[in-house]
Amino acid sequence: MVANTSSMDLSLTETQEMLRSTIRSLVSQEFPTQTLLDMDSKKNPFTTASWNKLTSSGWTSLLIPEIYGGEGGSLTDSAILFQELGRGPVPGPHFSSSVLGTLILLEIGSEDQKAQLLPELAAGKEIIGLAHTESEYDHEIVGMAASETHDCYILNGTKLFVQDVLGTTQLIITALLQPNKLGLFLVNSSTYGLEIQELDGWSTGVSNVHLNHVKIPKSSLLGTETSNGWVELFAAVERALPVLCAYQIGSCEAVFDMTVKYANKRHQFGVPIGKFQRVQDHIISQINYLDAATLSTYEALWKLDEGKETAKSSVHLAKALTSEAHYQICNASHEVHAGLGIMREYGLTLHTKLSRTLYHYFGDPKYHKTQLIRSLNL
Amino acid sequence: MNFEITFTPEQQEFQIRVRDWLKRNMPKGIEHPADPANLTRGGYEKQRELGHRLALEGWLYPTYPKEFGGGGLSPNEALIIEMELEKYDQILPPYYDSGGKLAAASIMVWGTQEQKSIFLPQILKGEVRTWQLLTEPEAGSDLANIQTTAIKNGNKYTVNGQKIYVGSSHGAEWSWMLANTDPGGKRHGNLSWFIVPMDLPGITWAPMDLIFAGNENGALSGFKNTVYFADVQIPTENLIGGENNGWQVADTHLEIEHGLMQGSLLGDHNLRRTLNACRKLKKRGNPLIADPSIQEILAELYIDSEVTRLFHIRIHWLRSSGQKISYQGPQAYLQMKRQALRAAKHTQDILGPYALVMDDKLSPEDGFIEVQQRGSIVAQHPGGTVEIQKLIMSRKLGLGKPSMKYGSKH
């Protein structure tokens, strides 16, 4: 029987399945729990070596069109990759460079800028991050203004709670050009006056970026005369978010697997604790959250890849569901693991901490619920 | 009806006396770090010093009989002491002494006259700090499954095994330990309690690496340890409540652990701190506290906090009027655990990344909010998981016992 190409099918293609299994084995081989714990405790922070482990096979080029030296893959392809990274969870500027940064460049970059930068990104030689949020932690607001001199721009101020900038070679820094025009500046991470301050606490990969009279050449402003900045940034974010969701979903899957395994292995009162209905309740809630997040995310990815008009609301739905799922799946796992789960060496807390960190990254569930309703035009 | 805790004129005088006394006796430089893991050795010693001074007045363990080193005071007077200590961010006892709390309660019920007069004064006067040694790798929720053995050998017990999630930082003089005294014996009929001096040969301990050490109702613990016993010799006089009677003894004191949280009457610190942060942090020019969508979340925090307070008001009333506490103990404990978890999420919903950061400049409320984020996860497990609280409540409510005729052993 010949499959009808238009019939519904939620499975991955053969190539996608191969991509998934290759990365899954790479992640479990190169990033065992102890390596991830050492990276987290900063005993052995993110380095070029850990970057190279993942990039040597060319995955950094997945979203980059072939004319710029990339593979011209779909967002769904990228999501499959990131879902596997989330299973670690593998930390580092992978999302910020190969997805968010890349998509921003594709949206706003002039032809010259794209031709110059995208091949470098594809080859994994340049690693970029986005320094955008400020003291109110609202990605719709920028207070920092770029002051213009005859030959350069000058940036002053602090970008707060910036995600995954350690290990980047360049940063896209946002600053106002006019009240309604946002400048996106590509700045070398080691520029004089730019200081990255890692932040401690119950979060992963968060830093402040201090800009003290940073002088940057005019050519570092991304885009052209007609660029608005906000429009292109948000278009890129909309495409990037479901890939971030996939990364969170990978983390959820790993936590779910860990929880089921433990519930079957751990005996109390003479039976595996998975026999107890109260324990089952936690695990059932996990799979319900996980499936809702996965289906909504892949539907959003499909809509974006196919250019469907309703993609926008699907993206908000996916991020609202996924952030909540990630948070609650980790909580449920702690309930099942009890004391064991809070031991750092066990590895669960790497996921828990990540679930908190990404909960509000580019909008918490409350924000996306509001945006969802708006985009539905009810 | 009267929901207000009212003090008699004598109690009001007592409050003034406690207040004045604390002004004179609070050790200078007493510490109250956001994360108790940061309590210094010096800070710990100051807590112990305050303990000694309070004990001289009978205020360290105020409700215990005077003859054993307590204060012979009423629950209201104990509350007064805690209210006044609260102003210095201190509680009773001012150091982590959960083993002392449980051991003292059990010795009062199960100890011989001699044991009472030897062991109680040292705990109640703050001469020793006691860790509780209950949990083991194979005995978590299923506490009856203790594998640590204590085998009688003349006038000693030889102890071998391992205990986890124990104690705090800076050591302890004693521990209060549950061990298996009859390895081949019947479940629930093979356990015994011991008071164990921690300096006995063969006892070693090492800190565990946890996201937060947590607490079991009382002063916070800075660290949790794994404690190892290798052929440790414990005198038979240190066995409390009789050999193989440990399950009955545990019933006495787990009830205490699940019911006495006087501190909850003194106000909700996390709510106060979140409100403070909402007054200081701004969004689009306005303080967060003025934002209706944030007020809605604050209402949830406030409601949860009120339910906790009311549950504890009732327990205080039941205790003060000499009535029996049943399901209300585990109910209040369950509520506190769940409240902590919900509060963490509400707080993050309000403060975003500010709730997670530990930084001199950026952390609201000196980092206490970040610590609550980690602590709320840990709080679900000590003193029995949420599932165990529900189990105890169900038993107290008589669930699964269709008629008295078929009543279970418990």
Side-chain angles (χ1 to χ4, degrees), chain B residues 31 56 84 118 138 157 164 175 237 241 334 368 380:
Chain B
E31 295 175 7
L56 289 173
E84 294 305 316
I118 293 172
E138 296 306 318
Y157 282 90
I164 51 176
S175 65
E237 302 91 84
L334 176 64
F368 278 94
Q380 305 307 305

Side-chain angles (χ1 to χ4, degrees), chain A residues 135-136 138 266 269 282 339, chain B residues 137 142 165 284 338 354 387:
Chain A
S135 66
E136 294 195 3
D138 182 336
R266 170 76 169 171
F269 305 100
H282 292 307
Chain B
D142 185 6
Y165 301 101
R284 308 201 177 185
R338 283 326 205 195
Y354 285 97
E387 286 67 32

Side-chain angles (χ1 to χ4, degrees), chain A residues 206-255:
Chain A
V206 183
S207 307
N208 283 346
V209 176
H210 300 289
L211 302 157
N212 184 14
H213 207 75
V214 174
K215 276 189 195 170
I216 40 178
K218 291 208 163 168
S219 59
S220 61
L221 177 63
L222 293 173
T224 58
E225 285 288 302
T226 57
S227 305
N228 166 277
W230 284 111
V231 174
E232 294 85 354
L233 176 66
F234 273 73
V237 167
E238 185 178 306
R239 296 176 69 74
L241 273 180
V243 181
L244 180 72
C245 289
Y247 180 69
Q248 293 185 270
I249 286 163
S251 169
C252 292
E253 275 186 337
V255 172

Side-chain angles (χ1 to χ4, degrees), chain A residues 277-350:
Chain A
Q277 290 179 348
R278 289 208 174 100
V279 173
Q280 292 167 356
D281 279 346
H282 292 307
I283 294 174
I284 298 301
S285 82
Q286 286 185 312
I287 191 87
N288 291 343
Y289 275 119
L290 176 57
D291 287 359
T294 309
L295 289 165
S296 62
T297 294
Y298 279 87
E299 189 182 37
L301 288 160
W302 168 74
K303 285 186 180 177
L304 288 168
D305 282 335
E306 298 291 322
K308 303 272 180 198
E309 277 179 16
T310 55
K312 192 182 183 66
S313 60
S314 285
V315 169
H316 293 303
L317 175 73
K319 182 68 170 100
L321 278 172
T322 304
S323 288
E324 188 70 29
H326 201 189
Y327 193 105
Q328 300 293 3
I329 286 171
C330 290
N331 276 11
S333 189
H334 279 286
E335 306 276 4
V336 175
H337 283 93
L340 182 65
I342 61 168
M343 291 175 66
R344 282 201 177 86
E345 65 187 61
Y346 185 71
L348 172 59
T349 58
L350 292 172

Side-chain angles (χ1 to χ4, degrees), chain A residues 96-378:
Chain A
S96 78
S97 187
S98 307
V99 181
L100 183 61
T102 298
L103 292 173
I104 291 174
L105 278 173
L106 282 169
E107 287 290 339
I108 200 171
S110 67
E111 213 32 65
D112 281 355
Q113 287 165 337
K114 286 195 273 192
Q116 199 191 341
L117 275 159
L118 290 171
E120 297 289 301
L121 280 172
K125 287 181 190 155
E126 296 286 353
I127 308 173
I128 55 180
L130 173 69
H132 176 54
T133 47
E134 296 173 10
S135 66
E136 294 195 3
Y137 197 70
D138 182 336
H139 61 276
E140 291 187 354
I141 294 179
V142 164
M144 190 185 289
S147 48
E148 193 175 358
T149 68
H150 67 284
D151 65 340
C152 69
Y153 287 102
I154 295 167
L155 299 178
N156 256 316
T158 298
K159 293 291 183 179
L160 280 179
F161 305 115
V162 179
Q163 198 64 39
D164 298 325
V165 289
L166 278 188
T168 56
T169 57
Q170 311 231 36
L171 291 178
I172 296 173
I173 300 174
T174 56
L176 293 175
L177 293 168
Q178 289 163 28
N180 283 316
K181 196 170 163 160
L182 189 68
L184 277 69
F185 298 92
L186 191 71
V187 181
N188 196 302
S189 298
S190 52
T191 300
Y192 184 76
L194 186 156
E195 188 210 338
I196 294 174
Q197 174 209 357
E198 270 185 277
L199 290 171
D200 286 330
W202 190 226
S203 48
T204 311
V206 183
S207 307
N208 283 346
V209 176
H210 300 289
L211 302 157
N212 184 14
H213 207 75
V214 174
K215 276 189 195 170
I216 40 178
K218 291 208 163 168
S219 59
S220 61
L221 177 63
L222 293 173
T224 58
E225 285 288 302
T226 57
S227 305
N228 166 277
W230 284 111
V231 174
E232 294 85 354
L233 176 66
F234 273 73
V237 167
E238 185 178 306
R239 296 176 69 74
L241 273 180
V243 181
L244 180 72
C245 289
Y247 180 69
Q248 293 185 270
I249 286 163
S251 169
C252 292
E253 275 186 337
V255 172
F256 174 71
D257 291 351
M258 195 185 281
T259 313
V260 170
K261 197 171 150 197
Y262 182 72
N264 288 333
K265 194 185 75 180
R266 170 76 169 171
H267 283 66
Q268 289 282 267
F269 305 100
V271 292
I273 60 170
K275 286 237 182 217
F276 297 115
Q277 290 179 348
R278 289 208 174 100
V279 173
Q280 292 167 356
D281 279 346
H282 292 307
I283 294 174
I284 298 301
S285 82
Q286 286 185 312
I287 191 87
N288 291 343
Y289 275 119
L290 176 57
D291 287 359
T294 309
L295 289 165
S296 62
T297 294
Y298 279 87
E299 189 182 37
L301 288 160
W302 168 74
K303 285 186 180 177
L304 288 168
D305 282 335
E306 298 291 322
K308 303 272 180 198
E309 277 179 16
T310 55
K312 192 182 183 66
S313 60
S314 285
V315 169
H316 293 303
L317 175 73
K319 182 68 170 100
L321 278 172
T322 304
S323 288
E324 188 70 29
H326 201 189
Y327 193 105
Q328 300 293 3
I329 286 171
C330 290
N331 276 11
S333 189
H334 279 286
E335 306 276 4
V336 175
H337 283 93
L340 182 65
I342 61 168
M343 291 175 66
R344 282 201 177 86
E345 65 187 61
Y346 185 71
L348 172 59
T349 58
L350 292 172
H351 293 280
T352 314
K353 205 159 68 146
L354 184 69
S355 76
R356 272 52 175 171
T357 312
L358 299 182
Y359 182 79
H360 45 234
Y361 185 37
F362 280 110
D364 64 8
K366 192 172 94 179
Y367 169 84
H368 286 287
K369 286 177 200 167
T370 311
Q371 296 301 317
L372 170 63
I373 294 299
R374 274 187 204 161
S375 62
L376 288 172
N377 293 317
L378 297 175

Side-chain angles (χ1 to χ4, degrees), chain B residues 96-100 103 123 128-132 172 174-176 195:
Chain B
Y96 174 87
D97 194 29
S98 70
I123 296 171
V128 293
R129 179 258 271 273
T130 309
W131 287 350
Q132 51 170 321
W174 285 0
S175 65
W176 171 240
I195 282 283

